[in-house]
Amino acid sequence: MAAIPTHYLILTFGLLGNVVSFMVFLAPLPTFYTIFKKKSTQGFQCIPYVVALFSAMLWLYYASLKANTTLLVTINSFGCFIEIIYISFFLYYANKKARIQTMKMLVLLVVAGFGLIVALTHFLVKKMTFRAQIVGWICLVFSLCVFVAPLGILRQVIRTKSVEYMPLLLSLFLTLSAVMWFFYGLFLKDYNIWVPNVLGFTFGILQMVLYMMYKDNNKKTSLPTDQLANQVIILDQADKLPEQIIDIVKLGGLQSSEKTSLPQQHA
């Protein structure tokens, strides 16, 4: 059997990576629909979206310094577009404190951080290939840091024996995305792309294994209405109601349904 040409493999995994990453980028839509209905950010944080925007901008800059990276450009261009929409939407509905914190993050990470990287590599590194290597290393290190983030969720799942805050569908899409970009980078012979995704799909598989282990612990147990009414405790004070969701203590075996968690951007 004749071997499949490498450029076909690069195209195939690049297209699949675009499709799966597209779905990952759209994962926060239910969160923002909730914000739209409540007309408030309700305590949601904008940090993941600012980090995702910074990551997409980094990979776009890296792709501009390399040849044959069209598929890397397409998905990260969409990433920048959708993250800007998310952040703008968040700023519109956020209270003053959250809005100021988000603007600080944008200035610090996107404006100052990205601007400094572009300026230093552009003016201090004249050789294009060497500049691409430096930016690639920055992308690699940053992606590794992003992929390490799920460790906190995994620790929480093991400690609580509950997968309430680790939806299976999102974990699956993140794992598939890491696999596609791993093979894309491998066949492209670009270690800056495939190395961090090894960690990505390793953690992704671990998340799904833990989900299968503890998913039954999330089943709700029914309580009589009169008992439930006596066990509901409102925690937030009245002066916080305009900005916050009223928290209700979960008692006994009562568990809330899975909440959509925020995605990491991949290459």
Side-chain angles (χ1 to χ4, degrees), residues 69-89:
T69 53
T70 302
L71 295 173
L72 205 60
V73 172
T74 55
I75 190 58
N76 284 291
S77 295
F78 175 75
C80 287
F81 172 75
I82 196 68
E83 297 302 337
I84 288 174
I85 291 179
Y86 288 154
I87 294 170
S88 300
F89 198 85

Side-chain angles (χ1 to χ4, degrees), residues 229-249:
N230 292 330
Q231 297 188 55
V232 173
I233 304 174
I234 297 177
L235 296 180
D236 284 358
Q237 298 178 1
D239 59 346
K240 296 182 179 179
L241 292 179
E243 293 86 18
Q244 304 290 335
I245 302 177
I246 295 179
D247 294 326
I248 299 180
V249 176

Side-chain angles (χ1 to χ4, degrees), residues 80-265:
C80 287
F81 172 75
I82 196 68
E83 297 302 337
I84 288 174
I85 291 179
Y86 288 154
I87 294 170
S88 300
F89 198 85
F90 183 91
L91 288 172
Y92 182 80
Y93 286 107
N95 57 42
K96 183 177 180 181
K97 182 179 179 181
R99 192 176 293 121
I100 292 174
Q101 290 176 341
T102 302
M103 292 303 298
K104 287 180 179 178
M105 279 287 297
L106 284 170
V107 172
L108 181 64
L109 198 59
V110 176
V111 178
F114 181 74
L116 190 62
I117 291 172
V118 172
L120 290 178
T121 55
H122 182 76
F123 292 108
L124 298 182
V125 185
K126 299 300 181 182
K127 192 174 180 180
M128 184 68 72
T129 54
F130 190 39
R131 187 187 304 166
Q133 288 179 355
I134 293 176
V135 176
W137 292 336
I138 295 173
C139 290
L140 190 154
V141 172
F142 185 78
S143 294
L144 286 174
C145 293
V146 170
F147 280 127
V148 168
L151 281 176
I153 298 176
L154 297 179
R155 186 168 57 248
Q156 181 185 14
V157 170
I158 295 172
R159 186 179 70 251
T160 62
K161 294 182 172 53
S162 170
V163 292
E164 180 184 1
Y165 299 101
M166 192 181 70
L168 178 62
L169 189 60
L170 183 58
S171 297
L172 177 62
F173 275 120
L174 289 172
T175 305
L176 288 175
S177 177
V179 170
M180 299 309 166
W181 290 114
F182 165 78
F183 283 110
Y184 175 81
L186 188 65
F187 290 119
L188 195 62
K189 297 179 180 179
D190 191 330
Y191 65 88
N192 293 314
I193 297 176
W194 69 260
V195 168
N197 282 291
V198 172
L199 196 62
F201 68 69
T202 300
F203 281 138
I205 292 174
L206 184 57
Q207 285 183 53
M208 288 188 288
V209 169
L210 288 176
Y211 186 93
M212 299 308 295
M213 290 174 58
Y214 298 121
K215 64 177 182 177
D216 292 335
N217 293 350
N218 275 42
K219 291 181 179 179
K220 296 181 179 180
T221 57
S222 59
L223 291 175
T225 305
D226 55 344
Q227 292 184 26
L228 183 60
N230 292 330
Q231 297 188 55
V232 173
I233 304 174
I234 297 177
L235 296 180
D236 284 358
Q237 298 178 1
D239 59 346
K240 296 182 179 179
L241 292 179
E243 293 86 18
Q244 304 290 335
I245 302 177
I246 295 179
D247 294 326
I248 299 180
V249 176
K250 303 186 201 81
L251 300 161
L254 199 62
Q255 296 287 343
S256 68
S257 60
E258 289 180 357
K259 298 177 177 61
T260 302
S261 64
L262 305 174
Q264 290 132 0
Q265 250 9 100

